[in-house]
Amino acid sequence: MISSRPVILAHGGAGSKRLTPAQATCLADALVIGYAILEQGGSAVIAVECTIGLLEQSGLFNAGRGANRQLDGVQRMDASIMEGERLEAGAVASIEGILHPITAARLVMEETDHVLLVGPQATTFAQHYQLAPLSGARSPRRHAGRSPVSAAAARTIALYRAMLKSKRPQKDLHGTVGAVALDHCGTVAAGASTGGVDSMLPGRVGDSPLIGCGVYADNQSGAVSMTGIGEGIIRLVMAKTICDRLARGTSPAVAARQVLRLLLSRISGSAGALVLAPDGRFVIRHVTPHMAAGWWKGIGRPTVRDRFP
Ligand code: ASP
């Protein structure tokens, strides 16, 4: 059995917003919880799930209690988790009313022969396992006039209004959550959980529940958790593309930089990544003004910042 030095990384989204002190504290607490699991010999999957679980619970990020709303006012959440030893993975998309979509994703991985469950059936599955309901959700409801709306968002809103002839709330928060970890056995894992992006048509699904796009984990290459505008991340299959470069011997820093540059040059996308190699090297990289993220190896205090140059 390999005895690796554990490490955990977590993020709270990439975008234009600065990290608030409450978010910084919450990210640090989440890293401490995840690392404690690794230190006690727990698996990378459980460390990733518990780290993301705390962020979902907090209501401070765009996941779980704080999840964004689609244009019809409904919170439909996406999450996925993957482990790198046997390449097992589970995901849920458009799940509603569940506090911890990341746990639903792990249960899909462990309790079914499937990888992805969607919509009301994903919700029913989570309810069958008695996962906690999403009550007292804190997601703010804003109207279009209150904040600047991008051209793409304006088109989506116009389309939705044309579809339903109704005006619905939106908000401009970016704060998807994710984590990657390496455990004592040398297994890596990756996860993500989100309420999506601004101004989404009802039914929109992003990169976060799509294995290879929002997350990927393979002990032979590494673990990646993405955040940013999912439409760009999906088109470049970013998590797997970064892992493929790691497998060819490229360092985490160079692999992340190359693939994020590709996102900018080919499709003007917007994203950030946590990238962890199986030997414990890692990088946090983003092409957005800020990315709320941090890491911990159990020494001193966790590092948490909102810029990783
Ligand atoms: N990637 C997520 C999505 O597109 C959003 C985010 O990371 O902020 O749904």
Side-chain angles (χ1 to χ4, degrees), residues 46-258:
I46 298 300
V48 163
E49 179 190 352
C50 291
T51 298
I52 290 176
L54 189 89
L55 301 171
E56 289 175 331
Q57 170 95 37
S58 71
L60 297 170
F61 299 93
N62 175 19
R65 282 187 71 208
N68 207 349
R69 292 173 191 275
Q70 298 196 322
L71 284 169
D72 58 359
V74 177
Q75 289 169 300
R76 296 185 184 87
M77 298 167 286
D78 302 334
S80 68
I81 196 159
M82 182 169 187
E83 64 82 40
E85 189 191 358
R86 288 182 294 167
L87 304 184
E88 292 195 340
V92 289
S94 283
I95 195 168
E96 290 177 37
I98 298 296
L99 179 58
H100 292 302
I102 192 67
T103 299
R106 180 186 50 80
L107 287 168
V108 171
M109 175 172 82
E110 291 180 352
E111 303 294 331
T112 79
D113 293 324
H114 311 309
V115 169
L116 174 60
L117 292 182
V118 303
Q121 290 79 9
T123 307
T124 303
F125 170 81
Q127 287 165 344
H128 172 74
Y129 285 95
Q130 299 184 339
L131 295 197
L134 187 59
S135 53
R138 284 200 196 162
S139 175
R141 301 168 71 105
R142 294 185 192 158
H143 293 274
R146 292 197 194 159
S147 59
V149 175
S150 69
R155 274 196 305 278
T156 305
I157 293 166
L159 171 59
Y160 183 64
R161 284 183 184 156
M163 281 167 62
L164 292 187
K165 293 189 174 30
S166 66
K167 183 175 173 178
R168 295 292 180 179
Q170 63 164 324
K171 68 190 192 79
D172 61 358
L173 183 73
H174 279 288
T176 287
V177 303
V180 296
L182 168 66
D183 65 27
H184 273 302
C185 299
T187 287
V188 292
S193 180
T194 187
V197 294
D198 301 345
S199 307
M200 294 170 285
L201 287 177
R204 180 264 186 192
V205 172
D207 60 297
S208 305
L210 303 182
I211 301 301
C213 299
V215 306
Y216 202 73
D218 181 351
N219 286 0
Q220 295 180 11
S221 57
V224 174
S225 178
M226 299 298 306
T227 179
I229 304 299
E231 282 68 9
I233 297 169
I234 291 169
R235 285 148 70 199
L236 285 182
V237 197
M238 285 185 78
K240 179 69 161 68
T241 302
I242 292 173
C243 281
D244 286 348
R245 288 176 193 234
L246 297 178
R248 292 199 294 268
T250 307
S251 70
V254 173
R257 192 170 63 234
Q258 287 175 344

Side-chain angles (χ1 to χ4, degrees), residues 13-38:
S16 56
K17 294 211 161 192
R18 302 295 311 254
L19 186 62
T20 67
Q23 287 175 323
T25 303
C26 186
L27 269 171
D29 290 347
L31 289 165
V32 168
I33 281 174
Y35 188 84
I37 290 163
L38 298 170

